[in-house]
Amino acid sequence: MEPTILDKMKMGAMMGGTVGLCIGFVFGSISLMRFGAGPKGTINTLSQYMIGSAASFGFFMAIGSVVRSEQRIAPPNMRLPVIVKARKE
């Protein structure tokens, strides 16, 4: 049985959140090395990068997985009628 649209949306959100956490960790670490932690501290600044990136990636991956999983109009094994007219010579 195929997963429901809600299941696909949750799976897309989890995958996007995971990717977002990794990207946020990389870019947050680079930002911390370049500019320092600031008044909030190292852990708080890094977690802010990671959570923001995870939320963004998760949101867009959830939407993308729902858009991509639309129902088909015709089943794949159904052939559409083709009308071919004979050419007049």
Side-chain angles (χ1 to χ4, degrees):
M1 187 168 125
E2 188 174 329
T4 64
I5 291 178
L6 184 64
D7 290 338
K8 289 182 180 183
M9 183 177 74
K10 288 190 288 188
M11 187 170 57
M14 287 193 320
M15 286 190 308
T18 304
V19 170
L21 281 174
C22 296
I23 297 273
F25 178 75
V26 170
F27 286 125
S29 298
I30 291 171
S31 176
L32 284 173
M33 284 188 270
R34 289 182 69 195
F35 304 114
K40 292 184 177 181
T42 304
I43 300 297
N44 197 5
T45 304
L46 185 60
S47 65
Q48 187 176 6
Y49 273 101
M50 291 173 69
I51 291 172
S53 182
S56 300
F57 271 85
F59 178 73
F60 287 113
M61 281 289 289
I63 290 174
S65 61
V66 169
V67 168
R68 194 162 179 236
S69 66
E70 290 181 0
Q71 299 293 328
R72 294 182 180 160
I73 295 172
N77 58 0
M78 182 179 160
R79 292 190 174 162
L80 299 176
V82 178
I83 301 171
V84 178
K85 293 184 179 181
R87 206 183 316 174
K88 294 181 182 180
E89 292 182 22

